[in-house]
Structure formats: C-alpha cells, structure tokens
Amino acid sequence: MSVLHDPKLESLLATLHARSDEQLAALRTYDAERASETKPPADEAARLKAFRSDKLVALDRDKAEFCYQLCRAGNARRIVEIGTSYGVSTLYLAAAVRDNVRASGGDGVVIGTEYEPDKAAAARAHFEQAGLSRYIELREGDLRETLRQIDGPVDFMLMDIWISMARPALELVGPHLKAGAVVIADNTAQYPSEYANYFAYLAANGFRTMTLPFDGGLELSVRCPS
Ligand SMILES: C[S@@+](CC[C@H](N)C(=O)[O-])C[C@H]1O[C@@H](n2cnc3c(N)ncnc32)[C@H](O)[C@@H]1O
C-alpha cells in the first residue's frame, strides 16, 4: 500500500501510471530523433506540441507520494499545480487536501492548469472517478492567462511542466506563496541549463533551495522572505 491508504484511488493511479510508463519509450525515441537532427524543421514547436498532446508524462510515483507527504506534513490547503495533463499528480495532491480536511476540518483546493482540451477532459473524468472533484479547480488554457488571478496564500506548488513555462509560472504564483511555502520542481538535475532562469528567480526572491536525489533530481524550494 502507498502512503495514500485509499485502495480505490490507488487502483486508478496504478492504471494511469502504467499507461504513462508505456509511453516513455516513444518519448525517448522522439527526443533522440530531435537530438540527431542537424537543423530542426521550421514547424518543430507545432510538431512537438502535437506529439505530446496525448502523452501523460505523469510525475513518477515516488515523487508524487513525496508531494502527498509534504502536503500532509504542512497541512496544505491551497495548492497550485503547474501542469495537470491527465491528472495523476493532481490526484495525489487532492487526496492530501481531502485528508487534511478530514483530519482537522476547514476546506482546501488544488488549482490545476492544462491547455490541451482532451487532456483536461480526461483529467476531469479521473477526478470524478476518484471522488476528488470537489477539491480540484482545473483551469483550462495557457497558464500565463489562467494563473493571473490567485486568491489567498498558497501553501504548496508543484512545477511539472515543459521547462520553458517554469519561470513564467513561478513569476505569477510566487508573490502568492506564503512564508514557508514549498515549491517542488521536477527534473532539475537532468536539465540544469534549461532551468537556469528558474533558479535565478528563486535566488533573487528569497527562496532557499536544494536538489533531492530522486531520478532526474527533484527541487525542493522554500520561500524564506527576510
Ligand atoms: C509533464 S506534464 C504534467 C503531468 C502531470 N503533473 C501528471 O503528473 O500527470 C505537463 C503538462 O503541462 C501542459 N502544458 C504545457 N504548457 C502549458 C501551458 N503554457 N499552459 C497550460 N498547460 C501547459 C502540457 O499539455 C502537459 O500536459
């Protein structure tokens, strides 16, 4: 049993993680082909978006369970997730909010973000299936628009997005993070140069950060205003 202690949810997640794992080989092949191209085609960005449009690219189980644990430890009530896809990590985060509410009352929400309409529809179906819809507000569209309005202090943020969007997302949500809020970002050790502008924002805005030794590196940053 995982840290979730919810057999129905774990069964749904096992199916979704398996689907995501099955797509990994195709993602690796695509990346290798791109790396071998001497001159990327003019329509590369559109091709890449189309290729990724049906891929889950779900957060690894251990990282997702770690996020659940952090959200339970910090009694997180307002969470922002950057990159929802089919809703795998969202389900872990929403389970944490649900379990925090059960443990000590009140309410809470996970704000998700997804710009592929088919992925958003599939994610909503998964939220219903898991009985977690009431804890999730999925914002559909480009996050640079959908995250302009954030009400209330944010306790926890998960950054699991195409890396070029990590800094714009942090710029929008960062000012709403409460002191002590945790931000998790995936694969920072694997893509240090791509994350350079993200790290620059952390350094300039009072975050303390460390890279945890999960596969590809998982960045744990804490907002520590002086
Ligand atoms: C790595 S996947 C997220 C996986 C998800 N966290 C999970 O565990 O299942 C990143 C997602 O972000 C979405 N995305 C990329 N750029 C976006 C943008 N500018 N606005 C909203 N969503 C975006 C992609 O369509 C993709 O589904």
Side-chain angles (χ1 to χ4, degrees):
M1 192 187 280
S2 80
V3 294
L4 296 174
H5 293 202
D6 180 339
K8 187 176 152 213
L9 175 57
E10 286 171 64
S11 160
L12 170 60
L13 286 168
T15 306
L16 295 175
H17 278 299
R19 269 176 62 196
S20 186
D21 291 347
E22 280 165 18
Q23 293 173 337
L24 284 178
L27 285 159
R28 288 201 190 102
T29 304
Y30 188 92
D31 285 347
E33 284 171 2
R34 278 175 68 211
S36 68
E37 283 167 355
T38 44
K39 187 167 174 276
D43 64 345
E44 175 57 26
R47 265 200 334 172
L48 180 59
K49 187 171 185 297
F51 173 75
R52 285 168 161 173
S53 66
D54 66 341
K55 305 293 180 296
L56 276 76
V57 208
L59 193 66
D60 294 342
R61 288 173 192 75
D62 56 350
K63 296 172 180 175
E65 288 195 36
F66 180 65
C67 288
Y68 172 90
Q69 295 283 68
L70 287 175
C71 291
R72 291 304 309 279
N75 194 18
R77 301 307 181 103
R78 181 170 292 274
I79 294 174
V80 179
E81 177 191 61
I82 308 301
T84 291
S85 190
Y86 286 70
V88 172
S89 51
T90 333
L91 292 168
Y92 286 86
L93 298 173
V97 169
R98 174 199 62 194
D99 296 343
N100 287 337
V101 168
R102 281 183 183 161
S104 51
D107 211 347
V109 69
V110 180
I111 297 170
T113 52
E114 181 51 58
Y115 69 178
E116 293 287 355
D118 291 347
K119 288 186 173 185
R124 286 187 200 283
H126 297 143
F127 303 158
E128 274 301 310
Q129 200 179 333
L132 288 168
S133 295
R134 66 164 293 237
Y135 298 105
I136 301 166
E137 175 193 334
L138 180 56
R139 298 191 181 178
E140 275 187 64
D142 193 303
L143 65 87
R144 287 166 291 186
E145 294 301 323
T146 62
L147 291 180
R148 286 189 182 280
Q149 177 75 33
I150 304 276
D151 298 318
V154 173
D155 302 302
F156 184 91
M157 182 175 180
L158 170 62
M159 192 68 76
D160 188 22
I161 189 81
W162 313 152
I163 300 172
S164 61
M165 282 297 118
R167 168 134 182 177
L170 187 58
E171 284 177 355
L172 285 168
V173 181
H176 303 283
L177 291 167
K178 71 174 194 189
V182 170
V183 183
I184 292 290
D186 196 22
N187 290 329
T188 51
Q190 191 174 353
Y191 300 106
S193 56
E194 290 86 342
Y195 268 113
N197 64 357
Y198 179 82
F199 282 114
Y201 183 94
L202 292 176
N205 289 278
F207 290 83
R208 300 192 189 180
T209 195
M210 62 190 294
T211 309
L212 302 178
F214 286 86
D215 188 27
L218 191 71
E219 199 69 23
L220 189 156
S221 312
V222 179
R223 184 161 179 260
C224 302
S226 52

